[in-house]
Amino acid sequence: MEFHSSEELARQMRRQIILMLAAAKSGHPGGSLSATDILATLYFDQMQIDPQRPDWPQRDRLVLCKGHAAPALYAALALKGYFPMEDLAGLRKLGSKLQGHPDMHKTPGVDMTTGSLGQGLSAACGMAMAGRIDGEDYNVYAILGDGETEEGQVWEAAMFASHYHLSKIIAFVDHNRLQIDGNIEDVMSPEPLEAKWQAFGWQVQRIDGHDCQAIRAAINWAKAEKDRPSVIIADTVKGKGVDFMENQVGWHGSAPNQEQAEQALAQLGGC
Amino acid sequence: MSEIKIATREAYGKTLAALAKENGDIVVLDADLSKSTKTAESKQTAPERFINCGIAEQNMIGVAAGLAACGKTPFVSSFAVFATGRAFEQIRNSVAYPSLNVKIAATHAGITVGEDGGSHQAVEDVSLMRSLPNMTVLVPADAWETEQMVRWAAEYEGPVYLRLGRLAVPQLPAENRSFKPLSGELLLPGSDIVIFACGMMVDQAMEAAELLRTEGIKAAVANIHTIKPLDEDFIVDQAMHTGAALTVEEHSIIGGLGSAVAEALAEHCPTPMSRLGIADQFGQSGSPAALLKHYGLTPEAIAMRAKMVLARK
C-alpha cells in the first residue's frame, strides 16, 4: 500500500464522509468531521491492529463513544482495508453492514456497539480490565463528545478507570463546543472539562484536535503513563474542512444534498 | 417438602464462587452489595476476577459489556430494582442489542425483600428484561435449581437475566428432578386446572394443590423457570389437558409470567385463566410472611383463585 500521511488520510476520510452522507441522505456530518483527524491518526499511525484479523485478541481497541460519528469511523476502516470502499455507499440502508450507529457484529473492525451517549467509556473500562486479567498489553482508545460528558455515566466510568488505575485507557474528548440544541455552554455546560477530569484522577492534556502531529505526541504522552488513565481534550471545529458546515449547529444531524456535497468535495480537494 | 430453607441468593453465591475458581473466564462484578448478593464469596475464591464497581450500576453494566466483548463471562449482581431499573438502558444498548455474553444475576427481587419496603422490592424486573430481544430470563424456584441455572448460564453464550430472592425458601424434592434448560417442568400432574408458577411461588403452588386435593380438585403444578424463551408447547399442552390455567408469581401481573402465559394461550389455545401476582401496585414494608398474605400470595389465596377459574370452565 502506498504510504500516506495521517493528514492526507484525514482528507480522504472527509471526502468519504461527505459522499456517504449524501448517498444516505441522513446522518451526522458535523461531529464526524470534527473527529476525523483523531481517528485518522489513531488508525493510520498509532493503533496496533490488523485489518485481516479484526478479532485478533491482542489488538488495540477503539470505542467510538460518540457513535453518531460512525461515518468517520467507517471511512477510516474502509481506507484501512477492513472492507471494500464500495460498501460505504450502503450507509444507513436496509440490510447494510454500516448501521446508523456502530454495530460490532455487522461491521468488521468495530470493537463495540455504541450510539447511546455516555455508555462507551464504561465498555472501554471493561476492555482494559479484560486486558489486565489476561496480562495483555493492548491500549483501549475511547472517543467522547463534549456534549456527551453531560451524561452521568461518563463520570461513573471516569471514577472507575481512575480507581483501578486503568492506564491503558486513552480517551479523547472531541471538544467541538456544539450539541444538537446549541452551544454546550448554553445548553448544559460540562466545563471546566480539564479540571473535572483532573479531579477524577486522570492525567489531562489539551491539544488542537486537528493537528495530527499534536495528536500523535499526545498519544505518546498518554502511553508513557503507567498509573493513571489519560484524557486528551481535543479542541476541534464541528464540520471541520467544509466552510459552510464549520461551527454550524444545524449540521449536527443533517446530510448535504447533491449540490452541497459537490461544493464540499471541491473544498476538500481531489481524490 | 424439606424443612431446610435456603435463599436462592445463597445458592447463587456459593455456586458462582466455585465456578469462578474453576473457570478463568468468569469475572464477578458487584455494586457495593456483595455481602447481600453473596458475590462476596467469589472475592474469596477468585479475588483477581472480582470487581467492585461501587454504587454505580450503569457503569457496572457497561464494564461487563466491555469484558464480554473481550471474551470474558461476566456475572453482574445488584438488587433487582437497581440492576434492571437503574441500568435498563445500559442493558438494552450495551448488552442485549449487541447480544454480549453478560449474566445479570439480580437478588432481592419481589416483595419478600420485606422490611426495606417498596423502593427496594422489584415487581417489574422480569417485565423489563423479557421485553429485550436476545435476553434469556430465568427464575429459579429453589437453591438446587439456582445452582443448575448458574452453571448452565456460564456455559450458554448470550445475555441472561437470573432473578434471585432474599428470603430463605423451601427446597422442592430434588429426587427425580433434572434441570432441563428452557423447558417447563411438570411437578404434579392434574386434570382439572394447571397452575403455572415460578420462583418461590412454585412451592406455594404445590401447597395450594394439596389444599385443592382435599376438596377433590386435581390441580397440576408446573414450574416455569424459564420465562423467556417461553416453553409454549408445554404450556399449551397443559392448558389443553386441564382446560383451565392459573399463573402465580411474586411479580407484577403486568409483563411477567402471567403475561407471557396469557399471550401464549390467547394465540394458541384460548383457555379460562387468571393471573395471580402483584396487581399493578408497589410493595411496602413488612415481614415477608405478612406481605405475602397482604398481597394474596399464600397457598390459601392461590387455591381460592384456582376455584374462581374453575367456575369459568
Side-chain angles (χ1 to χ4, degrees), chain A residues 94-224:
Chain A
L94 183 66
S96 172
K97 69 168 60 134
L98 303 183
Q99 295 290 298
H101 293 81
D103 184 317
M104 63 191 289
H105 298 303
K106 291 200 164 85
T107 313
V110 170
D111 292 316
M112 183 64 202
T113 296
T114 53
S116 174
L117 294 177
Q119 299 192 20
L121 189 59
S122 300
C125 287
M127 292 175 174
M129 270 290 185
R132 174 179 293 174
I133 290 167
D134 289 336
E136 301 291 358
D137 202 36
Y138 57 77
N139 294 301
V140 183
Y141 297 98
I143 301 179
L144 296 95
D146 49 4
E148 181 180 10
T149 66
E150 292 162 13
E151 289 280 7
Q153 188 185 350
V154 169
W155 302 101
E156 291 185 5
M159 192 164 24
F160 182 96
S162 153
H163 180 84
Y164 285 108
H165 304 274
L166 298 179
S167 59
K168 288 293 180 183
I169 294 184
I170 302 174
F172 286 86
V173 175
D174 180 4
H175 195 20
N176 62 32
R177 295 186 176 75
L178 294 176
Q179 60 189 110
I180 299 179
D181 275 352
N183 189 300
I184 58 166
E185 301 212 40
D186 296 331
V187 177
M188 179 50 62
S189 177
E191 305 288 357
L193 278 171
E194 283 166 274
K196 281 197 175 76
W197 288 95
Q198 266 156 5
F200 275 78
W202 290 54
Q203 71 158 1
V204 186
Q205 188 175 134
R206 189 158 190 157
I207 61 164
D208 172 352
H210 298 306
D211 177 345
C212 292
Q213 292 288 352
I215 296 166
R216 194 173 302 134
I219 293 168
N220 285 323
W221 160 84
K223 281 180 180 167

Side-chain angles (χ1 to χ4, degrees), chain B residues 240-304:
Chain B
M240 223 177 258
H241 179 65
T242 57
L246 174 63
T247 59
V248 190
E249 62 196 311
E250 191 201 355
H251 183 276
S252 171
I253 57 168
I254 299 174
L257 171 70
S259 289
V261 169
E263 288 158 15
L265 293 184
E267 287 193 352
H268 304 296
C269 178
T271 304
M273 75 166 288
S274 185
R275 294 167 296 147
L276 188 54
I278 310 296
D280 195 18
Q281 56 190 321
F282 290 110
Q284 59 180 304
S285 289
S287 71
L291 288 164
L292 288 169
K293 196 170 177 199
H294 178 82
Y295 290 98
L297 293 173
T298 57
E300 293 75 16
I302 297 168
M304 190 183 296

Side-chain angles (χ1 to χ4, degrees), chain B residues 41-99:
Chain B
E41 293 188 41
S42 297
K43 192 178 181 181
Q44 305 304 317
T45 58
E48 73 288 358
R49 281 175 284 114
F50 176 87
I51 303 171
N52 202 324
C53 296
I55 310 166
E57 297 80 9
Q58 302 172 52
N59 179 59
M60 175 166 69
I61 294 293
V63 170
L67 284 159
C70 293
K72 301 293 163 208
T73 306
F75 276 76
V76 182
S77 290
S78 181
F79 290 179
V81 166
F82 314 127
T84 67
R86 171 68 66 99
F88 176 75
E89 203 251 346
Q90 283 74 20
I91 296 174
R92 184 202 186 277
N93 272 317
S94 287
V95 175
Y97 178 50
S99 197

Side-chain angles (χ1 to χ4, degrees), chain B residues 8 78-82 84 106-126 139 161-167 198-201 249-252 277-278 281-288 291-292 295 297:
Chain B
T8 51
S78 181
F79 290 179
V81 166
F82 314 127
T84 67
T107 67
H108 294 62
I111 53 169
T112 51
V113 166
E115 291 78 357
D116 274 356
S119 61
H120 283 55
Q121 298 164 352
V123 294
E124 65 289 321
D125 53 314
V126 171
V139 185
Y161 178 64
L162 184 64
R163 183 184 213 235
L164 304 164
R166 168 178 182 267
L167 186 68
C198 65
M200 68 170 290
M201 286 300 124
E249 62 196 311
E250 191 201 355
H251 183 276
S252 171
I278 310 296
Q281 56 190 321
F282 290 110
Q284 59 180 304
S285 289
S287 71
L291 288 164
L292 288 169
Y295 290 98
L297 293 173

